[in-house]
Amino acid sequence: MKSNSIARIAILGLPLALGAADPPGTTPATPLPARASIAAVSGNLPNALPVAAPRPMTTAEATPALSGVGMPLIPEQVIRPIDLPCALRLAGANDLDIAIAREGVAQAMAELQQARVMWLPSLYLGPNWIRHDGQAQTVQGPVQSISKSSLFLGATAAAGSSVSGPVPAGGPAQVSGLTSILRFSDAIFEPLAARQVAAARRAAIDRATNDALLGVAEAYMDLQLAAGTLAIAREAAANAETLAKLTSSYARTGAGLDADYRRAVTERDRQRKNVEAAVGDLEAASAELVRRTRLDPRLVVAPVEPPESVLRMVPQGFSLDELITTGLRNRPELAEAQALVQATLVRLKQAKLRPYIPSLAFRYSGGGFGGGTNSFFGDFASRSDADVNLYWEIQNLGFADKAIARQRAAQSRTACLEKLKVQDRVAAEVVQAVKGRIAASRRMQEAARAVPEALESLDLNLTNIRRGAGLPGATRPIEVLQPIQALALARTDYLAAVLAYNRSEFRLTRAVGRPPGVQAAPVAAGPPPARVAAGPDPSVDVRERPR
């Protein structure tokens, strides 16, 4: 299969209202588009969402703001527009999980550098003074009472990393202990294992980036859902206000019932309550997006793209098997797991070969040495000493070596099982995203047909009311209540279906191993226009094979 990048769809005419150079909490230098209804400074929350090109306005867009309803929760707070590409760029630049993953790479590279220099000796600089008073055995054998002292000024180069206490007979410090021994097995295999760990940490950056971008995309769609719900609630409240005025007029003239008017007023108040609830949901979704993008927490952001914009990120013409294969090939989680498996295999080989690879204890010291009996210091001259020991170690008669090898083998098998878990999760995520996209697409098609029908029903009922009470075919004003509710429900269903489709596109893009980058953007604004039959949303489908 030819390797190509997954198709990216560029923005078609959607202005980037929030520049990346604008600092949080300031008014952008460029004015907002004329159709945009999002205040750049303190003002009302969006009554409708901006569009790129002239088109028939939706009912929500044509509805004016309700007096005293839907105001920001905190007066004079800053409301800033934000688009999806800008949110993704901010996530890639500011996300703390990505920064933590980068620091993990820095730590792994430092450990790799430390493993590579295990061959080099350590240097110890400084004086060494010794005094002895009392019994001591001479070289010939007799025990005598001796009082002596000595001073060594110089340096010691040793294959280890620490030194022990002074030698009783004087001279430079003796190198001893495990920390002072160069194990060739460690010097050979530790850099190989550290290199695999560093590769795993680099893959972790890609994983953290994918997760951060998906999280921001989900948060942005939550914000779009809240903004769309607010627009729908405003439209329903305005329609209910119109119905309350009609029923009031009919009740005053005796052409209608006062009970109908009371019922219409109740519906109006309920819809106004929905507007206030939608404002709260919008600002809560804004706070979550601000947290993920690490903007000024005092800001309220509102989406630039219409909520009904449909995203096309992964081409439709690929089978489920192809997409699963693509995910297994490209997901950074699998690259990370594979690198960790390789690291455990290196350490397993090290444990098996450890008894057969010798170790080296090496020391060389040079400097000035002098001393004498009692407190006499003299006879200073140069002195140098060298000790080299090459040996093989069978730890605890070989039983400890076998235990270490079994431990490393268990760690390797555990890493392989963890990799299998990641493979299963990747395949499941691809399947879930593909089926979620198919289901959302069908749901979107069905929901799109309901909106024009609801609009037409509302138009017909309003037309019948205007014919006058008592005339043949006239509609009681209160009968408009159900079409108002039906239109709000139809719009809500369509909005939820579109956003479910967009979420599945982002999830599928991540599942196959390609993060939703900043170039991906809505290709069409597809809300059903007011009182016009809604057809399928236009889109661009670039058929490239994923790799």
Side-chain angles (χ1 to χ4, degrees):
M1 183 172 62
K2 185 179 180 180
S3 298
N4 292 310
S5 300
I6 293 180
R8 299 295 187 210
I9 309 302
I11 285 183
L12 299 182
L14 289 176
L16 303 182
L18 180 58
D22 294 332
T26 61
T27 304
T30 56
L32 293 176
R35 292 290 301 278
S37 57
I38 303 173
V41 293
S42 60
N44 291 332
L45 291 172
N47 181 40
L49 299 174
V51 292
R55 61 175 177 80
M57 290 180 16
T58 65
T59 304
E61 290 172 329
T63 302
L66 299 174
S67 176
V69 179
M71 302 298 292
L73 298 181
I74 300 176
E76 303 300 323
Q77 63 183 347
V78 178
I79 301 174
R80 296 290 302 276
I82 189 171
D83 56 26
L84 180 57
C86 180
L88 294 176
R89 285 195 297 270
L90 290 172
N94 298 339
D95 187 78
L96 294 179
D97 289 333
I98 298 177
I100 292 172
R102 290 195 180 104
E103 294 303 319
V105 172
Q107 178 181 348
M109 294 304 296
E111 292 173 352
L112 173 59
Q113 183 179 7
Q114 182 181 7
R116 284 174 172 172
V117 298
M118 293 180 66
W119 297 93
L120 302 178
S122 299
L123 296 179
Y124 306 94
L125 304 175
N128 180 23
W129 177 73
I130 300 174
R131 180 180 177 97
H132 176 79
D133 294 290
Q135 296 293 95
Q137 187 177 26
T138 63
V139 176
Q140 292 78 8
V143 176
Q144 298 178 3
S145 179
I146 298 176
S147 177
K148 67 176 181 177
S149 62
S150 65
L151 177 66
F152 175 79
L153 295 174
T156 300
S161 58
S162 67
V163 296
S164 68
V167 181
Q174 177 185 2
V175 178
S176 64
L178 293 177
T179 56
S180 66
I181 296 173
L182 172 60
R183 296 190 179 277
F184 287 119
S185 60
D186 294 343
I188 294 172
F189 291 103
E190 283 299 326
L192 299 178
R195 187 180 299 117
Q196 295 298 331
V197 173
R201 297 296 177 261
R202 283 191 290 267
I205 294 181
D206 295 335
R207 171 178 54 80
T209 301
N210 289 1
D211 292 343
L213 294 179
L214 179 62
V216 166
E218 296 269 10
Y220 187 85
M221 290 176 194
D222 290 339
L223 184 64
Q224 283 190 309
L225 176 62
T229 302
L230 176 58
I232 293 170
R234 288 183 185 276
E235 178 191 35
N239 289 334
E241 180 72 26
T242 300
L243 177 60
K245 292 178 180 179
L246 286 174
T247 54
S248 175
S249 175
Y250 271 61
R252 285 197 307 270
T253 60
L257 300 176
D258 186 65
D260 291 348
Y261 167 68
R262 300 296 179 186
R263 185 178 176 189
V265 169
T266 301
E267 179 64 19
R268 178 201 64 189
D269 294 342
R270 191 179 72 86
Q271 295 295 345
R272 290 167 68 93
K273 179 268 297 179
N274 290 341
V275 172
E276 298 294 356
V279 170
D281 293 341
L282 175 64
E283 296 207 18
S286 168
E288 176 62 17
L289 182 59
V290 166
R291 180 190 71 83
R292 288 184 175 273
T293 53
R294 303 196 67 220
L295 295 174
D296 188 340
R298 297 169 295 179
L299 287 178
V300 174
V301 293
V304 170
E305 296 92 345
E308 301 90 345
S309 301
V310 179
L311 292 171
R312 310 288 187 187
M313 301 181 67
V314 180
Q316 300 278 351
F318 298 101
S319 67
L320 186 59
D321 290 341
E322 289 178 307
L323 293 174
I324 291 176
T325 302
T326 302
L328 294 177
R329 186 184 304 122
N330 294 334
R331 283 287 289 272
E333 291 93 330
L334 281 171
E336 180 182 11
Q338 178 62 29
L340 294 177
V341 168
Q342 293 299 321
T344 60
L345 291 176
V346 169
R347 291 194 173 100
L348 174 59
K349 187 175 182 180
Q350 175 187 4
K352 289 181 177 180
L353 296 179
R354 180 175 178 141
Y356 306 100
I357 299 178
S359 298
L360 176 69
F362 165 78
R363 179 191 65 162
Y364 176 83
S365 60
F369 178 80
T373 60
N374 299 323
S375 299
F376 173 76
F377 276 90
D379 300 329
F380 277 90
S382 62
R383 171 177 174 174
S384 63
D385 300 87
D387 296 312
V388 179
N389 292 314
L390 184 68
Y391 63 92
W392 284 258
E393 179 184 7
I394 300 177
Q395 190 172 356
N396 300 119
L397 298 180
F399 293 103
D401 293 323
K402 289 184 178 180
I404 293 174
R406 286 197 296 269
Q407 181 186 23
R408 296 291 186 261
Q411 292 173 351
S412 179
R413 291 192 297 269
T414 300
C416 291
L417 294 175
E418 291 291 342
K419 179 185 175 183
L420 292 177
K421 284 179 58 179
V422 174
Q423 289 178 343
D424 293 343
R425 188 177 76 245
V426 168
E429 288 176 354
V430 173
V431 172
Q432 291 169 359
V434 169
K435 293 186 176 180
R437 183 174 69 169
I438 295 173
S441 178
R442 294 178 181 178
R443 176 183 170 189
M444 188 168 57
Q445 293 175 1
E446 295 297 328
R449 286 195 288 267
V451 176
E453 296 296 334
L455 286 169
E456 187 66 22
S457 173
L458 181 59
D459 271 345
L460 291 175
N461 278 275
L462 291 175
T463 300
N464 287 336
I465 289 175
R466 294 187 181 98
R467 291 180 181 177
L471 296 180
T475 301
R476 278 180 62 190
I478 196 60
E479 294 182 12
V480 183
L481 183 61
Q482 194 279 333
I484 292 175
Q485 296 171 341
L487 176 59
L489 182 60
R491 287 194 182 278
T492 300
D493 290 343
Y494 180 76
L495 174 65
V498 170
L499 291 177
Y501 183 87
N502 292 344
R503 291 177 195 272
S504 65
E505 282 282 348
F506 267 96
R507 291 167 183 169
L508 180 57
T509 303
R510 174 186 175 273
V512 297
R514 295 299 178 192
V518 296
Q519 294 83 5
V523 300
R531 296 165 178 79
V532 177
D537 296 298
S539 63
V540 179
D541 188 7
V542 181
R543 295 191 175 275
E544 287 187 54
R545 288 188 177 274
R547 64 184 179 89

